[in-house]
Amino acid sequence: MTFDRSIKIAPSILAADFANFGAECAAVEAQGADWVHVDVMDGHFVPNITFGPATCAAIRPYIKGVMDVHLMISPVDSYIDAFAHAGADVITAHIEAGPHIHRTLQAIRATGAKAGVALNPGTPAESIVHLMDMVDLVCVMTVNPGFGGQKFIDMSGKVKTLRQMIGDRPVHIEIDGGVDPTTAPIIAGAGADVLVAGSAVFKGGSVHDPAPYGENIRAIRAAAQGVYV
Ligand code: DX5
Ligand code: ZN
């Protein structure tokens, strides 16, 4: 993974057809997705259950680009190796998931994967001031985690603070939740570069008719880049 701060669209397969994950990953990449965002939920850290390492391993062959795994689980550490072996390029853990985030990030990097830290809406940017050289990505939640299709919570102030804290380090700022062509300019303008979108990408399409995925991705990208279609 080479680093650049250009806008990347990362569809979340939480909004995909759960009976066709492999085909959905291939379709959304063919329609212009830069990364594929995989929302892992354990029914404990968040009030929902999705999928685990086995699903990540199963979809890996269908993803040519970055598999961006978002762990909404607690505890985290005992599962890191399994997600790395499944082929995750980025493994993101929530700072709220346990008392030892520094050790968790060390463990993620030790697998060779890129390390991400996720911040829930109520968690301040300053909470990661001692982790700036331990992360490759900061995931700013713009919904309370657990479900797709929720209303966007504006975190542009937090994004601006993080941009300052990151400086010229090769660290992505990822936005996750409620991203669509209306909200994308707000957070891209604040300094985010990776935009996760579930419902706004998968709406109106299917594995049999993926063209809407491409239209939706282009609309979000154009809005983020300030080019309104
Ligand atoms: C929520 C997940 C988000 C969510 C985004 O816990 O982390 O990735 O799936 O879905 P939308 O884009 O529909 O808000
Ligand atoms: Zn996510």
Side-chain angles (χ1 to χ4, degrees), residues 12 37-41 70 72 139 141 174 176-177 196:
S12 161
H37 186 81
V38 183
D39 280 315
V40 177
M41 300 181 186
H70 177 193
M72 288 163 275
C139 174
M141 295 304 298
E174 181 175 70
D176 192 358
V196 173

Side-chain angles (χ1 to χ4, degrees), residues 19 143 175 177 189 212 219-220:
V143 293
I175 301 296
I220 296 167

